[in-house]
Each structure stands twice: as C-alpha cells, then as structure tokens.
Amino acid sequence: MKRIKILYLVDTITSIAAGSEGQLAQLINHLDREKFEPHLVALTPTNFLSNRYFSCPIAVLNLPAVFSMTTPGRINRLADYIRDNQIHIVQTLFPGACVVGPMAARRAGCRLVLSSRRDTGYGHTIKTLLAFRYANRYVTRFLANSEYIVEMISKREKVSRERFTVIYNGLDPKRFEVREKQVADARREMGVDDNHRVVGIVANPRPVKDIPTFIKACSQVSRTHPETRFVIIGGGDQKTIEELGRLAVSLGLSGKIVFTGPISNPIAYVRNFDIGCLSSLSEGLSNTLLEYSALGIPAVATRVGGNPEVIRQGKTGYLVPPEAPEELAEKVNQLLDNDSLREKIGEQACENVWKKFNVALSVKLHQSLYTKLYDQVTVGEI
C-alpha cells in the first residue's frame, strides 16, 4: 500500500510541553508508519525542532515574518518542498502557517489542505483575519479541537460549519507516570506539609488567564480554611509576577501561596492538588483541565470556551462565571468541606476524560480523516 505523505507546517515550536506543540508531537510519533509518512516544516527555527521530539524529517524555512518582502520567495521554497517530497496532505497549525501553507500547497498542486484552529483567535488583528480569509479559499477541511472553537471561528472567518471536523486533544498515559518520590519531592519544593490541603492552578500569568481572580478567590477560601495552601504553576515576566505577589500579600496570603515558576512537566506537582482551578477569560480546549481530570482532581473553572465540553456541572467539576472570585471561592469551599463529594467528582472526572480525550482515539480519528480525504482525491471526488 502506498503511504500517505503528510506535511505538518508550523510557525515554530516554543515548547514541547505546550498544549498544541505537545499534541502535534504525540500525533506525529503515534502515526501508523505502514500507512503514513509525516514531515514537519517550521517557518522559523528553534531548539525544539529535533528528532528527539518529532520522529520524522524536519525542515526550516527561516521566514521571520509572514507579511514581509521575502514571503513570496519562502512560499516558493515551501511549494518546492511539497513537490519534491510528493506530499499528499498539508496540515497547518498556528497563524503564519495557516496563511502561507494553503497558498504554497496550491502552487505545488497539492489538493488536500487541512487548516487547524486550536484557539478562538483571541488577540488576532484585522490584518491577520483578512489574511486567514484569503488563504481559507484553498483549504479542503478545517480541524478544531472543540465545538466552541468551531462556533467562534466559523463566525469570525466566515467559514461554513460543515467544513469543520472536531477531533479532541488526546492524553498520553505515559505523561502521567510519575514515581511517588517525585510527588513527595514536589510537595516539599512547594513548601506544603502533609496536613495542608492544596488548591492550585497551572497557567502562565498572562492577562487571558486572569490569575488575579484566582488569588482573590484564594483569599476568601483562606478565611474559612486557614490550613489550605495555594500554588500557581507557570512562568511569566518578572514584573507581572511581582505585581501578583504584591496582590497576594495585600490580601493576607503571605506564607500561604507559592509561585513555582515554569515547570516543563508539572504532573508530579499537580498530583499534590486537592482541587485544580482555572480562572481564564478565554479558552479553546484547556489541556490543564484535561490533566486535572486525568489525575482524578476535581476542577473549578470559568464557563468560557471549550471548558463546558470537559466539565459537566456538578458531575466532573464546577463551572463559574469569569471574573467572579466569590463564586470561584464558593465552589472551592464546597469541595473542601466535603471529602466524599471531592473524591466522587474526581473519580467521575477521571473516568470521563480517559474515555473522551485519549491519544489512541485522537490518532485514530486523524488517520481516518486522512485516509478518507486521500481516497476521495484518488477517485476524483475532491
């Protein structure tokens, strides 16, 4: 059987632990090599573009800005790569790739282009949006990792919902294999004693993650549960961290809240959480929520984006409005007050997430889509 050659085009790889980059690595590394031959091309270089992380041929175009004078030449180079390697399917991820990829594929005569949307376009400019709409005319199929993203992108980019396929993120069980010593060491590093309950959040302190709301909720929880400790896992600029630290001190959380900074694989730390929180203003499909659930940790999160596709209210966690620290604190207190409820919700969350969001299912659905589209081209239906 002839192998289907797939080129994955990205802007760059900033971290192998990040959501979209990690999902791409899992997909590439789990593809059936008897049926598929993956290639990875990046617009700009990075240390993470290595066969250590991606088991496939890798190339870099050195395209520093999509909207630059050198863009046409780079598109020609990408088109040459597609032709020279006889690529059957081009799949794009991230904004720059989703603009230049479809145009290069068309120039190369590649008839199958998949364009991925893994966020709601939060922060995109009018210039970017217009470029997307232009490139979208050359896209065969759009991929999204939540129904909410389909709803938002179809309106924003004026793409028919019928052109989308939803494939949820897949969790790899190997990522969650940590030794008990690692968990205990992480607890000590966080300065948490055995008699402390832990309420934590995994989120880089950017505005969209709204860490101040989490800190304000922690202050309220601390009044009724003074033995509870609070942990923020994620990296950001020093000025932002200092501002958040001052907010915590002003709310009486001195000695009760820990900023760990960035941690490449925080699973051993998260295993110590009794409750996981997410206070975001916007989300696509949160890998943080998936990981809480996979570890059997009940979550309290904002009702934004794809979060309701992960959390069933009162069954696998709780959803609260954004920018509502009082309601966030109320649900955290409810879980802290009831050990059996906390355990039951954690168990139900774990069972649900491994059924719906596992790597085997995600890879299977991708491979089925690739095969279906390839067969349609072969018989002339596309």
Side-chain angles (χ1 to χ4, degrees):
M1 175 182 175
K2 184 177 182 179
R3 291 197 297 172
I4 300 174
K5 296 183 178 181
I6 306 163
L7 185 152
Y8 297 95
L9 181 68
V10 299
D11 292 11
T12 189
I13 302 293
T14 57
S15 168
I16 199 61
S20 296
E21 290 93 331
Q23 289 294 311
L24 176 60
Q26 282 186 178
L27 175 59
I28 288 176
N29 297 336
H30 283 83
L31 281 178
D32 183 348
R33 290 305 195 272
E34 292 186 1
K35 299 178 181 178
F36 304 95
E37 179 184 312
H39 294 242
L40 176 63
V41 173
L43 300 183
T44 57
T46 169
N47 292 334
F48 291 102
L49 286 171
S50 162
N51 292 122
R52 174 185 174 189
Y53 305 111
F54 299 93
S55 56
C56 67
I58 297 172
V60 179
L61 290 183
N62 289 309
L63 179 60
V66 172
F67 306 106
S68 72
M69 296 296 291
T70 61
T71 298
R74 298 297 194 273
I75 290 177
N76 287 335
R77 282 182 55 198
L78 178 57
D80 290 341
Y81 186 98
I82 294 169
R83 276 192 297 265
D84 293 345
N85 289 278
Q86 299 180 317
I87 299 296
H88 301 113
I89 300 174
V90 172
Q91 181 169 334
T92 63
L93 300 93
F94 311 130
C98 289
V99 172
V100 302
M103 292 186 283
R106 178 177 176 82
R107 191 165 298 179
C110 178
R111 298 169 61 188
L112 293 177
V113 179
L114 302 180
S115 193
S116 299
R117 299 292 187 272
R118 302 183 65 83
D119 59 45
T120 60
Y122 184 90
H124 284 182
T125 65
I126 292 297
K127 188 176 183 180
T128 303
L129 185 58
L130 292 175
F132 275 169
R133 290 179 181 175
Y134 178 82
N136 286 349
R137 68 185 69 186
Y138 306 126
V139 174
T140 311
R141 195 83 187 154
F142 293 86
L143 287 179
N145 61 347
S146 80
E147 296 290 348
Y148 179 77
I149 288 177
V150 174
E151 178 183 349
M152 295 300 294
I153 295 300
S154 63
K155 293 177 181 177
R156 183 169 303 194
E157 297 184 27
K158 301 190 183 305
V159 176
S160 169
R161 293 176 66 94
E162 286 69 34
R163 295 180 66 192
F164 282 87
T165 295
V166 174
I167 300 179
Y168 286 124
N169 291 358
L171 297 172
D172 188 347
K174 292 181 180 179
R175 176 172 168 78
F176 299 87
E177 295 175 354
V178 294
R179 297 187 301 275
E180 290 305 317
K181 184 180 183 305
Q182 292 175 284
V183 177
D185 288 346
R187 194 174 185 89
R188 281 194 296 273
E189 287 179 29
M190 293 186 293
V192 177
D193 295 334
D194 291 341
N195 62 322
H196 290 149
R197 296 281 178 80
V198 180
V199 176
I201 185 171
V202 181
N204 293 326
R206 296 180 289 121
V208 70
K209 297 300 182 180
D210 193 15
I211 303 299
T213 285
F214 172 71
I215 294 175
K216 293 172 185 176
C218 293
S219 175
Q220 296 182 38
V221 172
S222 184
R223 296 171 196 163
T224 53
H225 294 88
E227 79 290 350
T228 300
R229 295 297 178 264
F230 308 96
V231 177
I232 299 173
I233 299 176
D237 67 271
Q238 191 59 34
K239 181 180 178 182
T240 299
I241 298 297
E242 290 174 356
E243 290 175 352
L244 293 174
R246 286 193 291 270
L247 174 63
V249 170
S250 71
L251 293 174
L253 291 172
S254 295
K256 293 187 175 184
I257 193 165
V258 176
F259 294 81
T260 69
I263 298 174
S264 59
N265 185 353
I267 297 303
Y269 293 78
V270 178
R271 276 273 304 273
N272 288 286
F273 289 7
D274 292 282
I275 299 167
C277 294
L278 193 67
S279 51
S280 303
L281 302 175
S282 176
E283 285 286 348
L285 187 75
S286 170
N287 282 297
T288 292
L289 284 188
L290 296 181
E291 292 179 351
Y292 292 161
S293 298
L295 292 168
I297 297 169
V300 181
T302 46
R303 190 181 290 105
V304 298
N307 291 353
E309 295 173 56
V310 181
I311 293 180
R312 290 181 291 147
Q313 184 75 336
K315 301 293 185 181
T316 62
Y318 290 108
L319 295 168
V320 299
E323 299 182 285
E326 297 84 2
E327 295 189 47
L328 180 59
E330 178 187 349
K331 292 303 182 185
V332 170
N333 279 328
Q334 184 176 336
L335 288 167
L336 289 174
D337 287 337
N338 192 327
D339 292 346
S340 61
L341 175 64
R342 192 172 65 251
E343 182 177 341
K344 180 181 179 181
I345 287 181
E347 289 175 352
Q348 291 175 163
C350 184
E351 181 180 358
N352 175 67
V353 80
W354 284 113
K355 283 182 180 178
K356 194 174 179 181
F357 302 92
N358 67 79
V359 65
L361 178 60
S362 178
V363 172
K364 178 182 178 181
L365 292 174
H366 276 94
Q367 293 185 158
S368 296
L369 179 62
Y370 297 152
T371 302
K372 177 182 177 181
L373 293 174
Y374 179 78
D375 289 345
Q376 288 176 343
V377 164
T378 302
V379 300
E381 294 182 4
I382 293 181

